[in-house]
């Protein structure tokens, strides 16, 4: 894996964990900061398919359900390993892990309804401002 992809994957893991923790603790500022980092990484992944594949491949190796759930969103958005992402989210949703399981259910619902892509377009337009 290229050094830049490795750096992106490590930052993604760190901020996915922080974001999940802050959903439990209510530390909204820290959660917001981490979500901004995740959004920017996602934006980079959409611009570079090779980088996206490398980063997603690395993230899918994680044992952390919060990292996997966040990774699955990016997999859907770049249309890579979608079937596997759906299976991973189904497993997380059924695992009874509180907020992480609920997030997995919501992601699946948004993906299956097509709303995930609509939200992504909105997010992209806000980041460009």
């Amino acid at each position: 894996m290229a050094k830049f992809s490795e750096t992106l994957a490590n930052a993604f893991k760190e901020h996915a964990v922080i974001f999940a923790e802050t959903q439990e603790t209510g530390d909204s500022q820290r959660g917001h900061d981490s979500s901004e980092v995740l959004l920017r990484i996602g934006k980079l992944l959409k611009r570079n398919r090779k980088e996206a594949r490398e980063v997603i491949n690395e993230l899918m190796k994680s044992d952390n359900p919060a990292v996997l759930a966040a990774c699955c969103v990016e997999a859907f958005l770049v249309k890579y390993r979608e079937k596997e992402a759906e299976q991973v989210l189904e497993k997380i949703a059924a695992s009874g892990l509180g907020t992480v399981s609920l997030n997995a259910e919501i992601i699946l619902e948004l993906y299956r309804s097509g709303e995930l892509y609509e939200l992504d377009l909105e997010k992209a337009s806000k980041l460009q401002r």
Side-chain angles (χ1 to χ4, degrees):
M1 178 165 51
K3 183 68 175 162
F4 185 65
S5 295
E6 184 178 343
T7 301
L8 282 179
N10 288 335
F12 191 96
K13 289 176 194 175
E14 176 186 346
H15 288 282
V17 168
I18 291 170
F19 183 73
E21 287 172 357
T22 61
Q23 288 183 310
E24 296 288 333
T25 64
D27 186 350
S28 59
Q29 184 57 53
R30 191 167 176 235
H32 174 75
D33 293 346
S34 283
S35 72
E36 287 296 318
V37 172
L38 293 172
L39 290 172
R40 294 197 187 287
I41 292 171
K43 189 175 179 181
L44 286 170
L45 296 180
K46 279 188 244 59
R47 282 194 227 150
N48 186 327
R49 304 288 288 175
K50 181 179 183 269
E51 209 84 61
R53 283 192 223 77
E54 288 182 3
V55 171
I56 289 169
N57 287 339
E58 181 63 25
L59 295 173
M60 283 292 208
K61 296 175 187 175
S62 178
D63 293 333
N64 187 306
V67 171
L68 289 169
C71 171
C72 290
V73 171
E74 298 307 328
F76 290 146
L77 294 176
V78 299
K79 299 185 183 307
Y80 179 66
R81 293 177 69 168
E82 293 170 278
K83 281 286 186 204
E84 182 181 356
E86 197 168 358
Q87 293 168 346
V88 166
L89 288 171
E90 287 170 350
K91 184 177 176 184
I92 295 169
S95 67
L97 293 172
T99 306
V100 175
S101 293
L102 178 61
N103 285 345
E105 283 181 48
I106 292 168
I107 294 164
L108 276 171
E109 185 177 314
L110 291 170
Y111 169 68
R112 290 173 176 160
S113 71
E115 291 178 75
L116 184 65
Y117 301 106
E118 292 171 25
L119 291 172
D120 185 54
L121 290 174
E122 256 180 60
K123 174 182 74 177
S125 69
K126 286 179 183 173
L127 283 175
Q128 291 174 349
R129 292 181 190 157

